[in-house]
Amino acid sequence: MRIALDGIPLTLPKTGVGHYTSELARALAQALPNQQVEVVAPSNLSPIQIDDQAPDNLLFKSIKVGPLSGRWWSIGLPRYLRKTHAELFHGTNYEVPLWRPCATVITIHDLSLLTLPKKQQRRRVARARVRLPIMARAADVVIVPSEAVKNETCERFKLPADRLAACEVNG
């Protein structure tokens, strides 16, 4: 099985989502040693911050994009996933390809972009208002960090609870 994860959070200074992406990629690669796990991002962003201690089956890839494939979520990423025969894509920060050539999982960490818009960058809020409902409905599975976020996400986006998985971590 080929699994791909959104590497965009690793092209920026690492925050919570970057740490989540990095640790999730490492855990998947360790749990599935006979599978290939790729962390992918478009080449028009900064290089992915790689970890020297990554398992051999964990690859970090900067995907070359041009004028058309630079439209990452609608053209570049779907084209790459189809070409490489990826079977699963995990959007670690609420984005999945608009055209889905494989199964998709999305993580929604919280809904603060929608519930606390004055505390966020306007551009990010505007994008989230349009895209977050589309992405939540498009993904095969939605991962959230708690039952509270699960309930809020189901209610806001009118999603059936069985499409969401609350992955609470204790301790």
Side-chain angles (χ1 to χ4, degrees):
M1 173 184 269
R2 288 180 79 105
I3 301 169
L5 285 86
D6 176 14
I8 292 174
L10 298 176
T11 65
L12 308 163
K14 212 182 269 187
T15 62
V17 177
H19 288 288
Y20 170 78
T21 301
S22 177
E23 293 303 317
L24 176 63
R26 178 191 317 287
L28 281 171
Q30 288 173 341
L32 303 167
N34 297 323
Q35 310 301 323
Q36 184 172 327
V37 178
E38 293 183 352
V39 180
V40 300
S43 62
N44 59 348
L45 299 178
S46 297
I48 293 175
Q49 304 296 315
I50 60 172
D51 185 345
D52 295 337
Q53 304 300 321
D56 291 340
N57 62 326
L58 177 57
L59 306 172
F60 297 89
K61 293 195 172 184
S62 179
I63 310 306
K64 185 174 166 83
V65 294
L68 192 56
S69 60
R71 302 199 52 86
W72 182 244
W73 295 105
S74 57
I75 297 173
L77 179 59
R79 178 191 265 167
Y80 176 78
L81 295 173
R82 186 181 71 235
K83 183 177 95 175
T84 61
H85 305 287
E87 295 175 62
L88 176 69
F89 177 79
H90 187 136
T92 58
N93 195 23
Y94 85 76
E95 297 261 9
V96 292
L98 295 176
W99 176 75
R100 299 172 345 142
C102 61
T104 57
V105 174
I106 189 173
T107 298
I108 297 177
H109 302 278
D110 61 46
L111 296 178
S112 63
L113 285 166
L114 304 177
T115 60
L116 300 168
K118 290 186 177 10
K119 303 267 186 201
Q120 313 288 337
Q121 295 173 350
R122 264 192 253 165
R123 188 175 135 279
R124 292 187 69 222
V125 170
R127 181 178 172 87
R129 282 187 176 139
V130 172
R131 293 181 63 93
L132 191 49
I134 293 168
M135 299 295 135
R137 290 184 194 108
D140 295 304
V141 175
V142 178
I143 296 174
V144 294
S146 68
E147 285 296 324
V149 176
K150 178 179 179 176
N151 295 336
E152 186 178 19
T153 302
C154 286
E155 184 178 319
R156 181 173 284 264
F157 302 131
K158 310 293 187 252
L159 296 173
D162 64 353
R163 289 221 8 251
L164 282 81
C167 299
E168 296 196 36
V169 179
N170 294 321

